[in-house]
Amino acid sequence: MEFAELIKTPRVDGVILSRPFLPRVEGTLCLTGHHLILSSRQDNSEELWLLHSNIDTIDKRFVGTLGTITIKCKDLRIIHLDIPGMEECLNIASSIETDEWRLSYINKDFTVCPSYPPIVMVPKSIDDEILKKVATFRQGGRFPVLSYYHKKNGMVMMRSAQPLTGTNGRRCKEDEKLINATLRAGKRGYIIDTRSANAAQQARTKGGGFEQEAHYPQWRRIHKSIERYHILQESLIKLVEASNDQSHNMDRWLSKLEASSWLTHVKEILTTACLAAQCIDREGASVLVHGSEGIDSTLQVTSLAQLILDPQSRTINGFEALIEREWLQAGHPFQQRCAQSAYSNSKQKNEAPTFLLFLDCCWQIQRQFSCSFEFNEQFLIVLFEHAYASQFGTFLGNNENERRKLKLQQKTVSLWSWINRPKELEKYFNPLYEANSLVIWPSVAPQSLQLWEGVFLRWNRSSKYLDDAWDEIIHIIESNKDLQAKVNALRRQLTELQTGDGELKSP
Amino acid sequence: MEFAELIKTPRVDGVILSRPFLPRVEGTLCLTGHHLILSSRQDNSEELWLLHSNIDTIDKRFVGTLGTITIKCKDLRIIHLDIPGMEECLNIASSIETDEWRLSYINKDFTVCPSYPPIVMVPKSIDDEILKKVATFRQGGRFPVLSYYHKKNGMVMMRSAQPLTGTNGRRCKEDEKLINATLRAGKRGYIIDTRSANAAQQARTKGGGFEQEAHYPQWRRIHKSIERYHILQESLIKLVEASNDQSHNMDRWLSKLEASSWLTHVKEILTTACLAAQCIDREGASVLVHGSEGIDSTLQVTSLAQLILDPQSRTINGFEALIEREWLQAGHPFQQRCAQSAYSNSKQKNEAPTFLLFLDCCWQIQRQFSCSFEFNEQFLIVLFEHAYASQFGTFLGNNENERRKLKLQQKTVSLWSWINRPKELEKYFNPLYEANSLVIWPSVAPQSLQLWEGVFLRWNRSSKYLDDAWDEIIHIIESNKDLQAKVNALRRQLTELQTGDGELKSP
């Protein structure tokens, strides 16, 4: 993400700059990609050009709607900007505060956290030594990292694994410091634990645990129970069995659908993702998401929250990036989870349709906001197929570490490079797409959630009649393009004739 | 229906006409709206012009693919036509055989059957005296009448009330004669009884009953159990209660949806309608449909079978005609059935969402064949609304008899006249419509049937997101029209310029 993208208010008039021992300057404040500039636009008057990278910390204060931003610089300068208008002041502050994050290469050899990628984004004030300590306090070394930055208000979502508090209530001050570093002054954050309070308590007996209020006073912990592992796998098996049921009995079908609990899982996951999104967008709070390992339900929640919050993730490229970032790089063990799907009798405990449930949730949101997604249902189905069986290397292995050891980048072709070829890509465009820059809030009422027919009834009924409608829409849109081209051509011809550039011919 | 519409093969060459004592004539056979014409197209050669209304009976015989149609005329003439090609022969025969039906005015004062319209269509060979006797043998005087004629193969669907056989097994030869008159020589028909075999047996104790094999040997009786009256009403109440449930519990929602049995009713009705359509279209057999009174489940089945078989009924005008013919004229007691819907506590036993279930079934078919219907979902919803509460006279009263007594035609405006105004009509067009002349076979697997959100979740969730998609489609189609108009205008302008008719102006 370019810094320029974070600038919400690029220009404010009537800003007053005050520095010790120097006269005050009133002028226009401009934010560019690299500088904060204050100019009075008067000859001979001094202009302030401050590199963003020179900013060490900032503070903001309000008196009525007049805000004051105090910028403390790395060259030890301290300057004050009085900014009329609370919103402008907050926007300016949140834009330049972004520099609170840095890339860390601490995991470049996968030694700190085998399931993390080599590069992660962490709070700038936290150095690699602290990260190392925090990694020992989180299961599998999965210390809190940045998952998503909400441009609109500068709030962030982080993810991690559970803290290893154990029954003794062990604490780790570095961990506390790390996650507190993501809070704005005086603000509280939310920890969304994807396990029930009971399950989180139970986890302590096995060395795991949760963030205790006493040590994390600025955080409010919320427990949401999302199922995982074999429970999801059994749910999938039951659902597929029900979908294939040929008994033509409505009561039996609805009973089996209910007994599979699949839609209950969909609802739980979506509800938790909405909660995370609400904390960020409506409460203006930062959020940390984790369950136990941080590689299943955690990723469902962080990736779906982004789909809700971030319009970019609803485009084809954005969604590919989301899968790459929040699933592949984040270490979802695709090889283990997707080894078998619904027809296998082998009871391998590592299998779970975590990713399919995520795609199902995406489909539910897409169904509710048909015009807000650049991609169509087919795109989600293709990703489902490739996660389970693929001629491409993308979903092989369980994490980036394994993929590198297998030299997949050298030995295989990426699914994305295949999909992004124009000829392939055109299959996945949603003809109704109209970019929607808003946060979209899906309904999670059980009445609003439906069985994903495109996946679960795909082989049981002719999809012809449903496909026909889409074909018709696509046909209409094509003909629209043709007509527009004709209009343009005819206009050109007409202009040429009228200006005499063209020859006058009889038809 | 005009006779001309029934002509499937209007012209066959190489037909040989033979009559006793006259030379054979080889020529071209033409069927027009009024005449059968045979012309050798040679000067001085005789042409045969035979009025359809002069035909008394016809027979057909085949030797290989050469068919012979023997026409016995009311003027006692007998002529033979040798027609090369079996299909042509069958088409010619089924076109001219249609004259087997006539309009009867026997019920003009509503004395024979109070719930029938003044004019009904019955077999031509059955005179009004016979009809009167049959009426006394069918509950409420509802003797078998023509519901639908399947042009494709000349098969028919009739409807009636149950026969009043009672426990003694009373029979009525006139009834047997009437329904046998609708069978082709050597062909069997199907009686679709919309009650379980058990319920039909039970009905005998109350004076009702069913057609016994011994007296109707050419008919095969099939029992399909469709619920009616208070069972449907309770189902609706439960479904609406479930739809309004705010507990946000998926298991509870699915349990309640199942317990309401609404979708089970939808499935039963659709399955029976498909059966009727199959008998007619695939088995090439005629069908009689009835339950007990012939004013509820009977009409659901006959009207839905038409939606499946008859492309015309999938247009707006055709669907209006279907409602008028198979519900209003056929005597569905709208006033009783739609007096209350789901929120009333009064237990009036005459209320039942028979019509709403029919509309729901229409929606299910429409959902499966999105491009085959000229009207959209909104059209069905509007009909649902007006059946229950309306400022128009159309759905008032319980039958045509009552509506005449109330002078509704003079005192009220028809819903159809309102809907058919272009400005109103445009709300109900399906932008994806492409006339589909085929029979459409909906899937009735429970997995294929869904809750009709547009009616049952309408007030519980924002429909905005779903409406958006349709608005977008409509917008695209509008813009298509605009562009086409622009292309035409520009072409005209260009032609004018090129031919010098227009003035050459600089832009």
Side-chain angles (χ1 to χ4, degrees):
Chain A
M1 182 159 53
E2 293 292 317
F3 177 80
E5 288 177 35
L6 301 168
I7 299 171
K8 276 170 291 191
T9 300
R11 188 187 141 149
V12 187
D13 289 325
V15 172
I16 294 165
L17 165 70
S18 34
R19 291 162 295 181
F21 313 113
L22 286 172
R24 291 152 55 109
V25 179
E26 179 171 350
T28 298
L29 180 72
C30 293
L31 280 189
T32 73
H34 299 92
H35 285 84
L36 177 153
I37 306 167
L38 191 111
S39 163
S40 65
R41 300 204 175 180
Q42 289 166 358
D43 288 343
N44 305 324
S45 158
E46 195 191 357
E47 287 192 345
L48 172 76
W49 283 66
L50 185 70
L51 270 172
H52 297 311
S53 58
N54 191 10
I55 297 172
D56 213 24
T57 65
I58 74 159
D59 282 319
K60 36 186 196 294
R61 257 201 343 267
F62 286 96
V63 179
T65 59
L66 181 75
T68 301
I69 295 180
T70 301
I71 301 177
K72 296 181 182 170
C73 301
K74 293 174 185 168
D75 61 9
L76 308 184
R77 225 183 335 175
I78 295 177
I79 58 181
H80 305 278
L81 295 169
D82 294 338
I83 298 173
M86 185 183 279
E87 192 182 342
E88 284 78 3
C89 180
L90 284 171
N91 283 349
I92 296 286
S94 85
S95 300
I96 54 185
E97 267 176 337
T98 309
D99 213 18
E100 292 167 359
W101 295 85
R102 70 178 181 95
L103 293 175
S104 166
Y105 299 84
I106 192 178
N107 198 43
K108 65 179 190 297
D109 304 321
F110 304 103
T111 47
V112 175
C113 173
S115 64
Y116 267 177
I119 308 171
V120 291
M121 201 171 255
V122 293
K124 198 165 197 173
S125 58
I126 304 298
D127 64 31
D128 282 357
E129 284 314 302
I130 297 182
L131 289 181
K132 270 185 197 161
K133 287 184 185 152
V134 177
T136 64
F137 184 64
R138 296 271 172 181
Q139 183 168 356
R142 293 177 70 90
F143 55 87
V145 295
L146 183 73
S147 160
Y148 171 65
Y149 178 88
H150 196 43
K151 287 183 210 174
K152 194 173 140 192
N153 62 5
M155 296 298 135
V156 297
M157 180 162 58
M158 289 173 297
R159 52 178 161 73
S160 68
Q162 67 180 338
L164 302 171
T165 60
T167 41
N168 301 334
R170 192 180 146 223
R171 70 186 282 194
C172 170
K173 294 205 172 171
E174 290 81 3
D175 188 83
E176 294 157 25
K177 186 176 177 191
L178 191 161
I179 77 163
N180 285 340
T182 68
L183 290 177
R184 298 289 164 79
K187 282 272 192 181
R188 280 164 65 99
Y190 289 87
I191 295 173
I192 296 179
D193 193 318
T194 63
R195 304 163 296 180
S196 68
N198 214 17
Q201 277 288 356
Q202 287 286 319
R204 296 176 65 190
T205 61
K206 293 181 183 162
F210 52 88
E211 295 81 359
Q212 281 175 293
E213 288 78 356
H215 306 146
Y216 299 83
Q218 292 166 278
W219 295 82
R220 193 177 150 211
R221 210 176 66 243
I222 303 176
H223 289 277
K224 299 296 271 184
S225 171
I226 297 181
E227 292 295 351
R228 60 204 85 195
Y229 313 134
H230 71 280
I231 292 179
L232 298 185
Q233 186 69 7
E234 280 158 24
S235 173
L236 175 65
I237 290 170
K238 282 184 189 166
L239 177 70
V240 170
E241 200 272 322
S243 300
N244 290 347
D245 185 318
Q246 299 292 321
S247 69
H248 272 253
N249 180 316
M250 179 60 79
D251 283 0
R252 185 171 160 147
W253 156 243
L254 290 175
S255 286
K256 283 187 166 190
L257 179 60
E258 183 190 339
S260 79
S261 295
W262 183 266
L263 288 171
T264 304
H265 301 316
V266 168
K267 186 179 174 315
E268 280 167 359
I269 296 164
L270 271 178
T271 303
T272 311
C274 283
L275 173 70
Q278 264 168 345
C279 290
I280 293 167
D281 188 67
R282 297 213 171 150
E283 303 276 320
S286 286
V287 164
L288 169 65
V289 182
H290 71 73
S292 41
E293 294 184 83
I295 55 176
D296 288 287
S297 53
T298 301
L299 306 184
Q300 289 172 331
V301 173
T302 57
S303 52
L304 287 167
Q306 292 180 55
L307 210 60
I308 292 167
L309 294 169
D310 182 14
Q312 185 58 27
S313 71
R314 297 175 219 136
T315 65
I316 291 184
N317 284 337
F319 195 74
E320 291 172 348
L322 184 76
I323 303 291
E324 186 64 34
R325 212 168 57 230
E326 292 296 301
W327 291 87
L328 292 161
Q329 296 293 324
H332 176 68
F334 277 98
Q335 188 155 314
Q336 289 182 353
R337 296 290 183 264
C338 301
Q340 304 285 344
S341 81
Y343 295 127
S344 165
N345 288 319
S346 76
K347 293 221 173 179
Q348 300 208 8
K349 69 169 177 139
N350 287 324
E351 290 153 4
T354 315
F355 187 64
L356 175 55
L357 269 165
F358 156 72
L359 293 175
D360 195 325
C361 292
C362 294
W363 177 79
Q364 304 283 351
I365 303 177
Q366 195 188 46
R367 197 184 77 86
Q368 293 185 15
F369 296 88
S370 321
C371 302
S372 301
F373 286 80
E374 191 189 25
F375 50 88
N376 59 18
E377 178 185 6
Q378 198 49 43
F379 187 57
L380 298 174
I381 294 175
V382 161
L383 293 178
F384 155 61
E385 289 173 340
H386 283 279
Y388 278 84
S390 179
Q391 60 273 53
F392 300 96
T394 305
F395 289 104
L396 295 181
N398 288 306
N399 49 51
E400 193 54 22
N401 189 8
E402 287 190 18
R403 281 188 286 274
R404 294 223 179 170
K405 280 186 190 149
L406 295 166
K407 295 199 196 309
L408 291 179
Q409 205 171 2
Q410 292 82 46
K411 291 181 175 172
T412 67
V413 172
S414 156
L415 174 63
W416 311 132
S417 70
W418 170 262
I419 284 183
N420 291 342
R421 294 172 316 132
K423 199 157 169 52
E424 187 68 13
L425 207 53
E426 70 186 18
K427 298 179 190 167
Y428 306 122
F429 278 113
N430 170 15
L432 301 180
Y433 177 56
E434 286 204 335
N436 171 2
S437 64
L438 301 175
V439 173
I440 54 178
W441 296 108
S443 162
V444 294
Q447 292 93 334
S448 301
L449 304 179
Q450 286 194 359
L451 181 75
W452 190 5
E453 292 180 83
V455 164
F456 298 109
L457 303 180
R458 182 177 179 193
W459 311 105
N460 304 321
R461 53 127 175 90
S462 159
S463 67
K464 191 186 162 304
Y465 43 74
L466 294 171
D467 295 345
D468 277 357
W470 280 111
D471 288 350
E472 179 59 24
I473 292 172
I474 289 163
H475 169 78
I476 291 168
I477 286 167
E478 286 302 318
S479 120
N480 229 341
K481 277 190 208 147
D482 291 352
L483 283 168
Q484 187 65 60
K486 255 183 219 160
V487 166
N488 295 344
L490 284 165
R491 278 206 182 123
R492 258 197 314 277
Q493 223 177 327
L494 204 58
T495 311
E496 281 170 13
L497 273 172
Q498 285 173 331
T499 54
D501 289 347
E503 277 180 43
L504 208 62
K505 290 180 234 158
S506 33
Chain B
M1 185 159 50
E2 294 293 316
F3 177 82
E5 290 177 33
L6 301 168
I7 298 171
K8 278 170 290 191
T9 300
R11 187 187 142 149
V12 188
D13 290 324
V15 172
I16 294 164
L17 165 71
S18 33
R19 293 161 295 180
F21 313 113
L22 286 172
R24 292 152 54 109
V25 180
E26 179 172 349
T28 299
L29 179 72
C30 295
L31 280 188
T32 73
H34 300 92
H35 286 85
L36 177 153
I37 306 167
L38 190 110
S39 163
S40 67
R41 301 206 173 178
Q42 289 167 356
D43 289 343
N44 306 323
S45 160
E46 196 191 356
E47 286 193 346
L48 172 76
W49 284 66
L50 185 71
L51 270 171
H52 297 308
S53 59
N54 191 10
I55 296 171
D56 212 24
T57 64
I58 75 158
D59 282 318
K60 36 185 195 295
R61 259 203 340 269
F62 287 96
V63 179
T65 59
L66 181 75
T68 301
I69 295 180
T70 301
I71 301 177
K72 296 182 182 171
C73 302
K74 293 173 185 168
D75 60 8
L76 308 183
R77 226 186 331 176
I78 296 176
I79 59 180
H80 305 278
L81 296 169
D82 293 340
I83 297 173
M86 185 183 279
E87 192 182 341
E88 284 77 5
C89 181
L90 284 172
N91 283 348
I92 297 285
S94 84
S95 301
I96 54 185
E97 267 176 336
T98 308
D99 213 18
E100 290 167 1
W101 295 85
R102 70 178 180 95
L103 294 175
S104 167
Y105 300 84
I106 192 178
N107 198 43
K108 66 179 186 297
D109 305 320
F110 304 102
T111 47
V112 175
C113 174
S115 65
Y116 267 177
I119 309 171
V120 290
M121 202 171 255
V122 294
K124 197 165 196 172
S125 59
I126 304 298
D127 64 30
D128 282 357
E129 285 313 302
I130 296 181
L131 290 181
K132 270 186 198 160
K133 285 183 186 152
V134 177
T136 64
F137 183 64
R138 294 272 172 181
Q139 182 168 356
R142 294 177 68 92
F143 54 88
V145 294
L146 183 72
S147 160
Y148 171 67
Y149 178 89
H150 195 44
K151 286 183 211 175
K152 193 171 140 193
N153 61 5
M155 295 299 135
V156 296
M157 179 163 57
M158 290 173 296
R159 52 177 161 74
S160 68
Q162 67 181 338
L164 301 172
T165 61
T167 42
N168 302 333
R170 194 181 145 223
R171 71 186 281 194
C172 170
K173 295 207 170 168
E174 290 81 2
D175 188 82
E176 295 157 24
K177 188 176 175 191
L178 191 161
I179 75 162
N180 285 340
T182 68
L183 291 177
R184 299 289 165 79
K187 282 273 193 179
R188 282 163 64 97
Y190 289 88
I191 295 173
I192 296 179
D193 193 319
T194 63
R195 304 163 296 180
S196 68
N198 214 19
Q201 277 287 357
Q202 287 286 320
R204 296 175 64 189
T205 61
K206 293 182 182 162
F210 52 87
E211 295 82 359
Q212 283 176 292
E213 288 78 357
H215 306 145
Y216 299 83
Q218 292 165 278
W219 294 82
R220 192 178 149 210
R221 210 176 65 244
I222 304 176
H223 290 276
K224 297 298 270 186
S225 172
I226 296 181
E227 292 296 351
R228 58 206 86 195
Y229 314 135
H230 69 279
I231 292 178
L232 299 185
Q233 186 68 8
E234 280 158 24
S235 173
L236 175 64
I237 290 170
K238 282 183 189 166
L239 177 68
V240 171
E241 201 272 323
S243 300
N244 291 346
D245 185 319
Q246 299 292 320
S247 68
H248 273 251
N249 179 315
M250 179 60 79
D251 282 1
R252 186 170 160 147
W253 157 243
L254 290 174
S255 286
K256 283 188 165 189
L257 178 62
E258 183 190 341
S260 78
S261 294
W262 183 266
L263 287 171
T264 304
H265 301 314
V266 168
K267 186 180 175 313
E268 280 167 358
I269 296 164
L270 271 177
T271 304
T272 312
C274 284
L275 173 70
Q278 263 167 347
C279 290
I280 292 167
D281 187 68
R282 298 216 170 147
E283 302 277 320
S286 285
V287 164
L288 169 65
V289 182
H290 71 73
S292 40
E293 295 184 81
I295 54 176
D296 288 287
S297 53
T298 301
L299 307 183
Q300 288 172 332
V301 173
T302 57
S303 51
L304 287 166
Q306 291 180 54
L307 209 61
I308 292 167
L309 294 169
D310 182 12
Q312 184 59 28
S313 71
R314 297 175 221 136
T315 65
I316 291 183
N317 284 336
F319 195 74
E320 291 172 347
L322 184 76
I323 302 291
E324 185 65 34
R325 212 168 57 232
E326 292 296 302
W327 290 88
L328 292 161
Q329 296 294 324
H332 176 68
F334 278 98
Q335 188 156 314
Q336 289 182 354
R337 296 290 183 265
C338 301
Q340 304 285 345
S341 81
Y343 295 127
S344 165
N345 287 319
S346 76
K347 293 222 172 175
Q348 300 209 8
K349 70 173 177 136
N350 287 323
E351 290 153 3
T354 315
F355 186 64
L356 175 55
L357 269 164
F358 156 73
L359 293 175
D360 195 325
C361 293
C362 293
W363 177 79
Q364 305 284 350
I365 303 177
Q366 194 189 46
R367 198 183 77 85
Q368 293 185 15
F369 297 88
S370 320
C371 301
S372 300
F373 286 80
E374 191 189 25
F375 50 88
N376 58 19
E377 178 185 7
Q378 198 50 42
F379 187 57
L380 298 174
I381 295 175
V382 161
L383 293 177
F384 156 60
E385 290 173 340
H386 283 279
Y388 278 84
S390 180
Q391 60 273 52
F392 300 96
T394 304
F395 289 104
L396 295 181
N398 288 305
N399 49 51
E400 193 53 21
N401 190 8
E402 287 190 18
R403 282 188 286 274
R404 295 224 179 168
K405 281 186 190 148
L406 293 167
K407 295 198 195 311
L408 291 180
Q409 206 171 2
Q410 293 81 46
K411 291 182 176 172
T412 66
V413 173
S414 154
L415 174 63
W416 312 131
S417 70
W418 170 263
I419 284 183
N420 292 342
R421 294 173 314 130
K423 200 159 168 51
E424 187 68 13
L425 208 53
E426 70 186 18
K427 298 179 191 167
Y428 307 121
F429 278 113
N430 169 15
L432 302 180
Y433 178 58
E434 285 205 336
N436 170 2
S437 64
L438 301 174
V439 173
I440 54 178
W441 297 108
S443 162
V444 294
Q447 292 93 335
S448 301
L449 304 179
Q450 285 194 0
L451 180 75
W452 190 4
E453 292 179 82
V455 165
F456 298 110
L457 303 181
R458 183 178 178 192
W459 311 107
N460 305 321
R461 55 128 174 89
S462 160
S463 67
K464 192 187 161 303
Y465 45 74
L466 293 169
D467 295 345
D468 277 358
W470 280 111
D471 287 351
E472 178 60 23
I473 293 172
I474 289 163
H475 169 78
I476 291 168
I477 286 167
E478 285 302 318
S479 120
N480 233 339
K481 278 189 208 146
D482 291 351
L483 284 168
Q484 187 65 59
K486 255 183 218 160
V487 167
N488 295 344
L490 284 164
R491 277 204 182 125
R492 258 198 314 276
Q493 224 177 325
L494 205 58
T495 311
E496 280 170 13
L497 273 173
Q498 285 173 330
T499 55
D501 289 348
E503 277 180 43
L504 209 61
K505 293 180 233 156
S506 33

